[in-house]
Amino acid sequence: QVQLAESGGGSVQAGGSLRLSCTASGYSNTKKWMGWFRQRPGNDREAVAGIYSGDSTTYYAASVKGRFTISLDSAKNTVYLQMDSLKPEDTNMYYCAAQRPLGVWRAGDNYWGQGTQVTVSS
């Protein structure tokens, strides 16, 4: 059974930084996309940042490019999201997502973490 254990998140003032981490267990697929989505109540879940374990290709949403950095420790099966220069509009529930076998990561064909709240105050 695949499990994604998230940590990090919390509250910070605008301009501040936070780091999220997510460790996958029970997941034998060594080449996969992992990363983060975010969602506000009533809105669709959107991909924020992802990384492919096969060649470290990354994806960033335009709204976070240049401010967020995703990285992967393959030995630990852990993905990190460093969030700098945070803005109030980054306030969201953030979900760790690991690609299901044959799934399309950005389309949401993923295993999901339970979510962690990020709140940025102005």
Side-chain angles (χ1 to χ4, degrees), residues 93-116:
M93 185 70 79
Y94 285 71
Y95 295 90
C96 180
Q99 181 187 10
R100 288 181 179 271
L102 304 180
V104 179
W105 183 81
R106 283 186 61 188
D109 299 330
N110 303 313
Y111 299 103
W112 298 98
Q114 78 281 5
T116 185

Side-chain angles (χ1 to χ4, degrees), residues 4-115:
L4 302 178
E6 301 161 336
S7 62
S11 297
V12 66
Q13 289 190 328
S17 298
L18 287 172
R19 189 175 87 150
L20 307 181
S21 62
C22 173
T23 299
S25 60
Y27 196 10
S28 61
N29 184 15
T30 57
K31 293 185 177 181
K32 61 185 178 291
W33 281 88
M34 288 185 66
W36 300 87
F37 283 62
R38 64 187 183 187
Q39 183 177 30
R40 289 188 177 183
N43 290 350
D44 292 335
R45 196 170 288 188
E46 64 168 347
V48 176
I51 187 166
Y52 181 60
S53 62
D55 60 8
S56 297
T57 297
T58 58
Y59 163 81
Y60 293 98
S63 58
V64 307
K65 197 171 292 185
R67 300 187 297 120
F68 291 10
T69 304
I70 192 166
S71 60
L72 175 67
D73 185 333
S74 296
K76 297 180 179 179
N77 222 9
T78 298
V79 63
Y80 303 95
L81 185 65
Q82 178 66 39
M83 304 184 293
D84 298 319
S85 302
L86 282 161
K87 304 176 180 180
E89 51 264 42
D90 293 317
T91 296
N92 261 292
M93 185 70 79
Y94 285 71
Y95 295 90
C96 180
Q99 181 187 10
R100 288 181 179 271
L102 304 180
V104 179
W105 183 81
R106 283 186 61 188
D109 299 330
N110 303 313
Y111 299 103
W112 298 98
Q114 78 281 5

